[in-house]
Amino acid sequence: MTTSRLLTGLSAFPLTPIADDAVDERAFVRIVERLATAGVDSITALGSTGSYAYLDRDERRQAVELAVAAAGEVPVLAGIGHVRTREVLRHADDAQAAGAAALLLAPVTYQALTDDEVLTLFADVSSAVSVPVVVYDNPGTTHVSFSDELHARISRLPHVEAIKIPPVTGGVDVVRARVGSLRSAVAPGVAIGISGDAVAADALVAGCDAWYSVLAGTLPGPCRAIVDATSAGDAQEAQRISGQLDPLWRLFGAHGSYRVVAALAEELGAVAHPCLPRPVMPLDEGGRADVRAALATLREEGLVEQ
Amino acid sequence: MTTSRLLTGLSAFPLTPIADDAVDERAFVRIVERLATAGVDSITALGSTGSYAYLDRDERRQAVELAVAAAGEVPVLAGIGHVRTREVLRHADDAQAAGAAALLLAPVTYQALTDDEVLTLFADVSSAVSVPVVVYDNPGTTHVSFSDELHARISRLPHVEAIKIPPVTGGVDVVRARVGSLRSAVAPGVAIGISGDAVAADALVAGCDAWYSVLAGTLPGPCRAIVDATSAGDAQEAQRISGQLDPLWRLFGAHGSYRVVAALAEELGAVAHPCLPRPVMPLDEGGRADVRAALATLREEGLVEQ
């Protein structure tokens, strides 16, 4: 198990708010500063929540530069995915030059890729970078299905030090089995982090090294508390806090975490409305009302300041 | 049924060959010139076969400009898809300025889109362009599933004049039923074209207005013959020629038409090897041997010059 703070603990995925079809620099900087203050272990700029797939090279460079400057001592990871290897390598160069401490790479596809092609992509990047690479296994957006064998091959490339796995449902024992089988397949020392906020408490209790968190990018407090409870061995407390967040997890399930967290950030006044890149549209009025209701519940329970 | 040649008959989808990570201009121009000489009804630059999803704005503008210049009197359609509406609109502007006669738009996704978001994308484009728009329904690459209701709504937008539907298998009667139900849903006069080369003869016999053809971008002769036979009312002859191409259709099914047609173009000397944008890799030696064998069969049958 990797002990570096860089690839363990709580990594917060901030939105990259879009206003007038450009990155809203002031809002983004404010978000990142708040995350650093909240004591997250790392900040992943340009995750899926950070709209990386919609941003061009200049916008991505801008976002990583702003994030590194605003994050202070907190390490910044940067998403670099693109359908074309050439662009991935350019993003990797830019992110490293901007001070990213690690790179998050999803094999974004248009034509479906074979396992050998996915491996080739990671090999091309691996041989061109000097910071750790996190394998971003996100079948919901990339439509790439990683087998353990593919993970094993990629994990043996230089600089590949972590894997961000998709949600595993079914409780602690199921996650423990899943992580155990993946750990036995991949290179020793490769950190395994969970995505899918609703299952994160279970996954941390089950031994995942990191939580790559959508919600922590907007509401770091309760996420920090979940990770701290797990670190202190208090599984029950971690799961209790996660249970308090159920109204949000249900909305994530219904509308996708991306649109819900954008609406939440809008309600909190952290970003302007709308803040997602077209053609992605904000939640409709019914969805926004649900987000407001969930937020009211969280405020009543003291998870969000009044 | 639209009678304009622009959106009916045989539209050939050329490769945009990539060499040294850039568009191979000479090879691309030669391909387009050959298609014009072969008498295709239109040339669609920057289809999926033309790797549009992998090319940046400058490369796309370059490809459309080259295609329009090389196509002579043959109209050129241009693919403009991108995950972000802003980029789609830029591609539309560039393609129109370069002389594209129509635009082909697939709703490329990263985050899954709702039907309303897909409609919004087409509405944004529709209100910004002055040439016909072809709706590119390609679930295999975009992961968007078009209902007939969504097609109906989009078809009523200004400038939307045609739909490129995904393959329909099961024979002439099945395609006729599918096209009939789609036609009754969409705005009158919207042309319906088939993709999926293996089923094109059946689809044309069943009344499809156009064949958006991968193979015709590299081997227009037999595709032209299939369309001409159908136009002459000779369904049997169209299906006989399509049957002769079965060795290729089988390889399309096994490896995807994109990689197979690239290998075919390489074997024919039309492009250098490799010609696809990384991380997409050329067929392996076994696949290439199959393509060579298929090509030898086609040569024996006189479908390809010796």
Side-chain angles (χ1 to χ4, degrees), chain B residues 225-240:
Chain B
I226 288 172
V227 175
D228 288 345
T230 323
S231 302
D234 193 344
Q236 208 178 342
E237 174 65 3
Q239 288 165 327
R240 188 190 65 77

Side-chain angles (χ1 to χ4, degrees), chain B residues 76-166:
Chain B
V76 171
L77 290 77
I80 58 171
H82 193 276
V83 286
R84 187 159 174 189
T85 302
R86 180 187 70 184
E87 303 304 316
V88 175
L89 294 173
R90 287 175 176 168
H91 299 152
D93 285 348
D94 292 347
Q96 290 178 102
L103 306 170
L104 179 68
L105 175 56
V108 182
T109 60
Y110 180 74
Q111 299 283 350
L113 296 179
T114 65
D115 280 8
D116 283 344
E117 288 170 331
V118 174
L119 179 67
T120 299
L121 169 66
F122 279 92
D124 284 347
V125 172
S126 160
S127 66
V129 301
S130 56
V131 300
V133 172
V134 181
V135 177
Y136 194 170
D137 176 357
N138 189 348
T141 55
T142 66
H143 308 282
V144 170
S145 175
F146 280 83
S147 64
D148 282 6
E149 194 208 332
L150 179 57
H151 272 308
R153 293 164 75 193
I154 294 172
S155 74
R156 283 168 175 81
L157 295 168
H159 303 296
V160 173
E161 296 192 17
I163 303 170
K164 174 181 184 294
I165 64 171

Side-chain angles (χ1 to χ4, degrees), chain A residues 1 26 33 81 103 118 123 138 140 161 177 216 223 246:
Chain A
M1 187 162 137
R26 285 185 57 186
E33 285 171 349
L103 306 169
V118 173
N138 190 346
E161 295 192 17
C223 303
D246 266 345

Side-chain angles (χ1 to χ4, degrees), chain B residues 207-232:
Chain B
C208 276
D209 303 304
W211 174 14
Y212 296 103
S213 175
V214 173
L215 185 62
T218 294
L219 218 59
C223 303
R224 180 75 264 173
I226 288 172
V227 175
D228 288 345
T230 323
S231 302

Side-chain angles (χ1 to χ4, degrees), chain A residues 21 48 52-56 59 83-86 110-112 117 120 124 141 143 258-259 278-279 281, chain B residues 21 48 52-54 56 59 83-86 110-112 117 120 124 141 143 258-259 278-281:
Chain A
D21 241 344
S48 293
Y52 80 92
Y54 301 89
L55 304 185
D56 65 24
E59 291 169 322
V83 286
R84 189 161 175 187
T85 302
R86 180 187 69 186
Y110 180 74
Q111 299 283 348
E117 288 169 332
T120 299
D124 284 348
T141 55
H143 308 282
Y258 183 57
R259 290 175 187 78
R278 226 170 159 92
M281 303 295 285
Chain B
D21 241 342
S48 293
Y52 80 92
Y54 302 89
D56 65 24
E59 290 170 323
V83 286
R84 187 159 174 189
T85 302
R86 180 187 70 184
Y110 180 74
Q111 299 283 350
E117 288 170 331
T120 299
D124 284 347
T141 55
H143 308 282
Y258 182 58
R259 291 175 187 77
R278 225 168 159 95
V280 182
M281 302 295 285

Side-chain angles (χ1 to χ4, degrees), chain A residues 144-160:
Chain A
V144 170
S145 175
F146 280 83
S147 63
D148 282 6
E149 194 207 331
L150 178 57
H151 272 306
R153 293 164 75 194
I154 293 172
S155 74
R156 285 168 174 81
L157 295 168
H159 302 296
V160 173

Side-chain angles (χ1 to χ4, degrees), chain B residues 10-14 35 40-45 211-214 216-218 220:
Chain B
L10 180 63
S11 192
F13 279 52
L35 297 180
V40 299
D41 296 302
S42 67
I43 293 167
T44 301
W211 174 14
Y212 296 103
S213 175
V214 173
T218 294

